[in-house]
Amino acid sequence: MELEVENKVYVAINSNLHDGFLTLQWALKRWSSQSITIVILYAVNNICKDYVITPMGKLPAGSVNEEKLKDLEKFEEAKNQKILWRYKVFCGNVKVEAIKIEGYDESIQEIMVDLITTLRITKLVMSLTFMKSSSWKSRSAISGSFFVHRQKPEFCELFIICGGKLVLLRERNNEGLIEDDQGEMVANSRSKRQSFRDWVVKMFPENSAKMKNQCDSSASNGSFDQWEKYKNEIENYMSQILSSNAEEINDFVANESLQNSITELLMADNMTVQEKRKALKIKFLEIKQTIQLSREEAKAHVRGHAKAQWATTLCTRRAEEIDGCINDEIARKADLKRELDATKEELSELHTEVEITTSRLNSILELQRELSNKLQLSSVARSRAEVKVEKVVKQRTDTLQEIEEYRKQRDVLRRRIEFCREKDAIGNATMLIEPSFEYKEFTAAEIRAATDGFSDRMRLKSGGDWTDVYKARLNHTSVAIKLYSSGDVDSADAFRAKVKLFSHMRHPHILAMIGFCSELRCIVFEYMHNGCLRDILFSGKRSSKRRNKCLNWQARICIAADVCTGLCFVHRAKPRPVAHGNLNPSKILLDRNNVAKIHGFRTPLSSDKSDIRSDIRAYGNLVLQILTGRNWAGLIEEAIMMDQTKLIEVLDPTAGEWPLDIALELGRIGIKCLSIHEDKELNMTSLAREVEKVKNLADEIVANGECVAANERNQDDEDSAEFPNFFLCPILQEVMKNPHVAADGFSYELEAIEEWLKTGRDTSPMTNLRLNNKLLTPNQSLRSLIDDLQKKRSISIR
């Protein structure tokens, strides 16, 4: 890394091309024998933020519109890029890097000192004119150079270049001096430089206007035609300058002879004083005339010198333009060569592609001949097959008539099923989405009117002295109203705490609270049409009505998965987990589609590890009860331990023919939960993954028709049309047609989740946590699976 820093030479230059080329030339010659990298520190000509330069002169920045300022900035940027490119081309084969120096508020000399320290510049070549720029806050070029010289670190070696030559900075008597390589003083920090034009104006004021016009003319005309126009005139000026030198020598000789004659006249003895006075007067007149002529010739020389300077400027500008054109042609030649090479490569690739295409075409022609032969053979076979097809068509016509009759019957049944599902989905969506039911506080009059004054015919469940549950209808929606006695909640604050608890529990598999009434101390929950799981599993009266509500094995697996998902949600609640505390089949309610929801959380909430483990053991007992249909699940544990084939004898026969592998896996999960004291790391998250695998396996079995015989005996048409749980929208509880993924990672029906977000909610319907954003992404994979399963089921029905 240190070697790389030492091989870099930093050259500080500005937009003065002539001076920049001379400075770069000096640096390239100085280190021509070494392998170096030239780093150009280029002082950019920025648009001043106080004023701008326009064809009308300098104007305040506020008087120019923003569009004009942007155009000026683009023009200056393009100009700087072109100048920087010419500097890079000038360096030839030497490796070049460039750093633009921009800024307004800080002076150029301070920026240079900061760059030396930041970049650890060991070799810095700086042009003397680098400090002169109208767009920078800077001192004079000399004082600015001395500032950098004094403030730079010791590891930096500074080279100051003036006109392509190295100059040295010296300090003498507290005064900064600039000397050339021979020790001659070039300038000092206190002297003010005066241009040649200023000197001429001061010495010859009568020629200042003419000289200014000549210089302006030379600055404004630099084209090739003007160069040819003034070429002859420049040569005449050069001849005049040479001839003026000869005339000065002759005048000097003549003046010397005149002085000798005056001396001889004064020393003459044969002349009187009067005669000498007259002779001297005549000589002085001659001298005066000679002086007058000399003055006129000097003025002519000044004019000639001004014209010569103008000619020199014109020649320099022309040389710079020719040099720029040469560099442009060199760069253009390199670009053309690269384009030619690229074209040649493309041409060779095209030749290769043509050869490959030709070989493919030959193989296609051979394949076409083979296909034509096979086509002839297939035509013969087709004529034979058409005879057979005619016979099959007749049989098909008879079959279609029978199918059409079955189809009509199927359509009637399907319309009935769809009507029931849509009605239930609309009711669920209304409860979840309707803003008026979002934790609304009802009045006592509304509650009494909905329950017919808490009449016994509206009572759903009696809990002795503790609770009463009534079925009611609020805003055209069926609800369940739970009335809390004074023994359950001692004060209004305790009731408010219970309401706040239930309002924060929002999950598809947890019973949702719709509203409450503080006066009567009652809470309004969503109504579950199929009641609790205990009544379906353990009903002692096996009446026809109860037998019609028996759950098949697939529905029971779905219920187990739903309960596991709900428990997993509360166990992972933030800032601390929540335990149910009293999980049993009576705390599991089923809606019209047998979707399970948990209720009856024990208050106050507890989050100890012992309570979490108690929930896991209760869930294991619930799984075994779902398998056996009995209140005591010890039989299944004994059956699995003794002989796996004995498991069939203890399974609930009303659920249909259980797939043995699924029943064994579900029983293993239940026993694993009951023995949680042996496995301390067991949690509901891992159990949810295991139960989901069992559920997916059951869905595959049903989809593939491996248990068709069992389903025909124990399931009606509605059960056979059920889909996997993840195909259902968590809000509408029906198969999704256009599933979209929300920010919580769950998929929802597009219309349902959009309606959810439009009502002002910013939380997840599944987790009740705040959504990071409201973006919805189409779930194409899930949509494809739903379409495939629907096609398979439609084919199996036909």
Side-chain angles (χ1 to χ4, degrees), residues 517-542:
C517 178
S518 300
E519 183 180 353
L520 298 177
R521 292 189 182 181
C522 62
I523 298 178
V524 181
F525 294 96
E526 61 178 326
Y527 179 71
M528 307 299 286
H529 293 79
N530 285 341
C532 67
L533 180 62
R534 182 195 61 185
D535 295 337
I536 298 177
L537 288 179
F538 312 135
S539 177
K541 299 178 180 179
R542 293 291 181 175

Side-chain angles (χ1 to χ4, degrees), residues 570-581 602 604-613 615:
V570 295
H571 283 189
R572 295 175 61 184
K574 300 295 181 180
R576 59 179 183 174
V578 175
H580 184 279
R602 182 180 294 171
L605 294 177
S606 57
S607 59
D608 295 337
K609 291 184 178 180
S610 59
D611 296 324
I612 299 297
R613 292 174 184 172
D615 277 358

Side-chain angles (χ1 to χ4, degrees), residues 257-268:
S257 61
L258 181 60
Q259 184 179 4
N260 293 332
S261 63
I262 293 171
T263 304
E264 292 175 357
L265 182 60
L266 293 173
M267 298 298 294

